Amino acid sequence: MTQDELKDAVAAAALDEIRPLLGQDVVIGIGTGSTADRFIDKLAALSGDFRGAVASSEASAQRLRGHGIDVFELNETGTVPVYVDGADEVNTHLQMIKGGGAALTREKVVAACAQRFVCIADGSKRVERLGDFPLPVEVIPMARSYVARELVKLGADPAYREGVITDNGNQILDCYEFMIDDPLAMEARLNAIVGVVTNGLFAARGADVLLLGTEQGVERLTPQ
Ligand code: 5RP
């Protein structure tokens, strides 16, 4: 199977996963990226079965609206029963690296407000140790050089993602050569650097369920 077929398979499995949670008053959380896009496209078939969605990016909001799905502000909805999103890497504890699409901050905010986080990913995203994928860090533009120097002190090789402005008007530093032994501690440590808005480690709030696309079918995994 191709990677795209695996993404389609997990998007379809996510639809089955959330179906029992839907209802006319229900607003669900939706992530960002190519896997989340496939989920949004499949969700269109159920658009009459729920109230709408909170999106983790302008791109996803636009895609949802394109399917006639109402998009709500998180400040209006409060918590959401479920958040469905992809990942760049995920380990057995269902801790993740996210932010390849630069939407990490809004993704983390919606995830924080979700009663359940369903991660959808093709098998290539599954790792023993997080860090081969360069960890994104969103920074306030004026703090970019300072934060980069602090990241070097922690052992990372940060690179400015040129030409990318986040939906929040900020910039991204991608941390190369940065294998992570203790994701929970590193998430907190990076957040403590002045000028960092968010980092792409999702350890404090990992996923509750991972739907992983493999050649053998979609595996449903929970945190080890
Ligand atoms: C966007 C993200 C995405 O979830 C992550 O990059 C995975 O993307 P894709 O589904 O395209 O592989 O965190 O900021």
Side-chain angles (χ1 to χ4, degrees):
M1 279 173 103
T2 65
Q3 195 176 23
D4 283 348
E5 286 168 340
L6 294 175
K7 288 179 182 187
D8 271 330
V10 294
L15 214 56
D16 293 336
E17 180 80 22
I18 67 150
R19 207 185 302 264
L21 303 172
L22 298 181
Q24 292 307 319
D25 295 334
V26 171
V27 176
I28 61 175
I30 305 285
T32 299
S34 58
T35 318
D37 279 351
R38 286 176 158 78
F39 175 68
I40 292 171
D41 294 347
K42 294 185 190 310
L43 190 62
L46 302 183
S47 62
D49 297 349
F50 63 104
R51 186 161 172 238
V54 170
S56 69
S57 64
E58 297 299 335
S60 290
Q62 205 176 336
R63 197 173 189 99
L64 286 158
R65 289 193 192 99
H67 285 302
I69 298 171
D70 288 336
V71 176
F72 293 87
E73 291 295 326
L74 189 62
N75 288 322
E76 284 176 59
T77 61
T79 60
V80 292
V82 65
Y83 176 58
V84 180
D85 198 0
D88 297 302
E89 284 186 351
V90 55
N91 67 16
T92 52
H93 306 297
L94 306 198
Q95 298 168 322
M96 294 159 282
I97 286 182
K98 291 181 47 53
L104 59 162
T105 298
R106 294 188 186 199
E107 289 172 345
K108 205 174 263 198
V109 174
V110 183
C113 293
Q115 282 158 7
R116 186 184 303 189
F117 186 148
V118 177
C119 177
I120 49 176
D122 66 84
S124 70
K125 309 294 183 66
R126 172 80 180 73
V127 297
E128 288 303 315
R129 190 175 170 215
L130 298 173
D132 271 329
F133 188 91
L135 177 69
V137 178
E138 180 167 347
V139 297
I140 291 169
M142 70 164 291
R144 191 183 74 234
S145 298
Y146 167 72
V147 173
R149 291 194 296 277
E150 293 301 303
L151 292 171
V152 169
K153 285 182 198 167
L154 292 176
D157 180 9
Y160 171 36
R161 204 186 291 181
E162 289 199 45
V164 172
I165 302 288
T166 70
D167 284 348
N168 314 306
N170 296 316
Q171 297 174 344
I172 301 283
L173 291 168
D174 290 307
C175 296
Y176 290 81
E177 310 299 330
F178 198 47
M179 297 308 291
I180 296 148
D181 289 321
D182 186 344
L184 205 54
M186 187 53 75
E187 181 177 6
R189 189 151 181 201
L190 294 174
N191 282 341
I193 300 172
V194 175
V196 168
V197 179
T198 331
N199 70 81
L201 279 171
F202 283 58
R205 205 295 177 242
D208 301 298
V209 175
L210 169 62
L211 300 173
L212 189 73
T214 72
E215 290 294 334
Q216 290 70 43
V218 176
E219 289 178 31
R220 187 182 187 281
L221 302 165
T222 50
Q224 299 288 294

